[in-house]
Amino acid sequence: MNRPAFRWYGKPFYYTLALMYGTLSSAIFTGCGGSEPAPATTQPAPQPVTPAPAAPPPQVAQNTQTTSVKKTEQQDDGRKMIDGIPYDVWFDNPLAVAGNQQSVTPVALPGNTVAATPTNPAPATEMKTADTPAAASGGADWKTIIPMPVLDSLVKDIRNRLTKNMQSVGTYNTTYLELPTFTSTLATLAGIASEHPDEIGWKKNAKYLRDLSAGISSKQLMRGAKSYREIQIPYEQMIVIMNGSLPAGVPDSKDKIPFSDVASMGDLMKRIDIASKWLKSNVGNADALKSEKEKVIEEAHLLAAIAKVITTEGYGYVDDNGFLGHANPMQEASLQMVQAAKDDNFPEFDKGLTRVYKACTECHSEYKE
């Protein structure tokens, strides 16, 4: 029992050495608990795991504010991630994508049956007509919407109709109810002619034709000779103007006034209904489209023009996005029918006519006046 104690105490050198070793070990292990060695072991671990994301984090932080929540929830299948976001959610060329989105409006018009229109030749025209009016502070690209030769032909059609209606009191009595629809349309076309960039023989007197036509539309027409005579003189003056001259005694007219002052929404809606029903009833196949090509082009241009007119100041919808969401696609679809008729492309024409009916139906279900 005494030998171990005797041997230990008998060797003070070894005892001292053991104490020094213990002290040194204590100091070393105490140092290992400090803050420097621990980071040395923890930092290398994240560095190999996230070497690639080290550069992107600032960019990801900016983009995740708008898309990270949606994309992370939809793409959670273990693909390459950037800061918790699947790599493939980022567009390779975001500027190109933005450009594509911009072309679809409407505007615009963007009709916004984006899937159906990008591959067709018509949308190029549609975009053009949707952008130009918006940029021109209330102006319109009338040259595209309704070329002057088409406008002049439509005016001649109305003139011929009025001539038949006004042959006598008897012919007036059987047709007087339809007169306001066509005189309002004539007033609208005359107003467009005064703004149109192209020329026509009676353009310099278009404002007088506009107001004379509007004057007939505003009257409470009735059967009988009295009502017939009230509009006979204005009618004859209109004929003189359409012949290229200015008759005596015509009241002065302003160069430009709102379309809403010369053509009611109701009368223009009736003319839209006449045109769309004629197209549906008379152009049911490719052969009919070819045989009625000229008439189809005129009626489709007229639909496009009216669709533009009813979005102008005065009708109350210039800032109504819901209404514009129907009128603008109708204008585009009408021009689509024009191009389809020129190309003898009945399927494309039929698509345009369907879009017109869709716009009208949806609009009437929301705006009943």
Side-chain angles (χ1 to χ4, degrees):
M1 294 294 293
N2 294 328
R3 288 184 64 183
F6 173 79
R7 292 175 63 182
W8 181 260
Y9 289 108
K11 298 183 183 293
F13 173 78
Y14 294 107
Y15 174 75
T16 305
L17 183 61
L19 290 176
M20 292 175 63
Y21 176 79
T23 304
L24 181 61
S25 300
S26 171
I28 292 173
F29 285 114
T30 303
C32 291
S35 59
E36 294 181 4
T41 56
T42 55
Q43 281 185 349
Q47 286 177 354
V49 175
T50 58
Q59 300 175 356
V60 173
Q62 294 175 359
N63 293 331
T64 47
Q65 292 180 356
T66 57
T67 61
S68 61
V69 175
K70 294 181 181 178
K71 300 300 180 182
T72 302
E73 293 177 354
Q74 296 174 2
Q75 306 290 340
D76 190 13
D77 54 4
R79 287 171 292 175
K80 183 178 178 181
M81 308 288 284
I82 297 180
D83 217 20
I85 302 173
Y87 181 78
D88 59 358
V89 304
W90 307 108
F91 293 116
D92 293 332
N93 191 346
L95 293 179
V97 174
N100 288 337
Q101 292 175 345
Q102 195 171 24
S103 65
V104 174
T105 96
V107 288
L109 17 109
N112 297 319
T113 52
V114 180
T117 55
T119 57
N120 299 329
T125 304
E126 295 167 8
M127 303 286 183
K128 194 174 184 180
T129 57
D131 292 343
T132 304
S137 66
D141 182 15
W142 294 122
K143 190 179 183 71
T144 298
I145 296 173
I146 182 166
M148 187 62 90
V150 173
L151 186 152
D152 188 42
S153 180
L154 288 165
V155 168
K156 288 177 180 177
D157 288 344
I158 296 175
R159 171 183 172 168
N160 294 336
R161 178 182 291 272
L162 293 177
T163 299
K164 293 179 181 179
N165 294 348
M166 296 296 293
Q167 282 182 349
S168 65
V169 175
T171 57
Y172 164 80
N173 285 341
T174 59
T175 59
Y176 76 95
L177 292 177
E178 70 179 34
L179 283 176
T181 297
F182 291 96
T183 52
S184 291
T185 303
L186 181 57
T188 300
L189 292 172
I192 293 173
S194 65
E195 300 178 7
H196 207 287
D198 293 340
E199 294 296 326
I200 197 68
W202 48 268
K203 179 178 178 179
K204 61 182 180 296
N205 296 320
K207 63 181 181 179
Y208 301 108
L209 179 60
R210 176 199 67 202
D211 292 351
L212 288 169
S213 301
I216 293 178
S217 302
S218 64
K219 292 185 179 297
Q220 188 67 38
L221 301 180
M222 298 179 293
R223 292 174 58 88
K226 181 179 180 180
S227 183
Y228 170 78
R229 290 193 206 91
E230 286 179 354
I231 65 172
Q232 188 173 17
I233 292 177
Y235 156 73
E236 292 173 352
Q237 292 174 328
M238 289 159 54
I239 296 297
V240 173
I241 292 175
M242 286 184 278
N243 286 338
S245 301
L246 181 64
V250 176
D252 194 18
S253 296
K254 295 180 180 179
D255 291 335
K256 185 175 181 179
I257 59 177
F259 285 103
S260 59
D261 288 358
V262 298
S264 71
M265 176 74 81
D267 286 331
L268 294 181
M269 290 297 102
K270 290 178 182 178
R271 187 60 182 91
I272 287 177
D273 187 57
I274 292 171
S276 57
K277 285 182 177 178
W278 184 90
L279 291 168
K280 190 173 183 65
S281 300
N282 294 278
V283 191
N285 53 56
D287 292 337
L289 180 61
K290 289 181 181 180
S291 63
E292 298 285 1
K293 178 183 292 190
E294 183 177 347
K295 180 69 172 177
V296 168
I297 291 173
E298 288 183 0
E299 292 296 302
H301 271 303
L302 178 60
L303 286 175
I306 294 177
K308 174 57 187 173
V309 165
I310 59 179
T311 65
T312 58
E313 194 74 43
Y315 288 104
Y317 302 106
V318 68
D319 295 322
D320 189 327
N321 291 330
F323 184 84
L324 297 178
H326 300 304
N328 290 338
M330 177 182 169
Q331 177 187 326
E332 296 167 2
S334 300
L335 294 179
Q336 179 182 351
M337 288 193 292
V338 169
Q339 189 60 49
K342 292 178 180 179
D343 297 339
D344 294 327
N345 188 338
F346 178 74
E348 199 63 26
F349 164 82
D350 195 47
K351 289 179 183 177
L353 184 57
T354 300
R355 290 178 63 197
V356 168
Y357 265 92
K358 182 176 182 291
C360 289
T361 301
E362 292 179 351
C363 185
H364 291 167
S365 68
E366 297 178 31
Y367 300 87
K368 296 178 181 179
E369 294 186 277

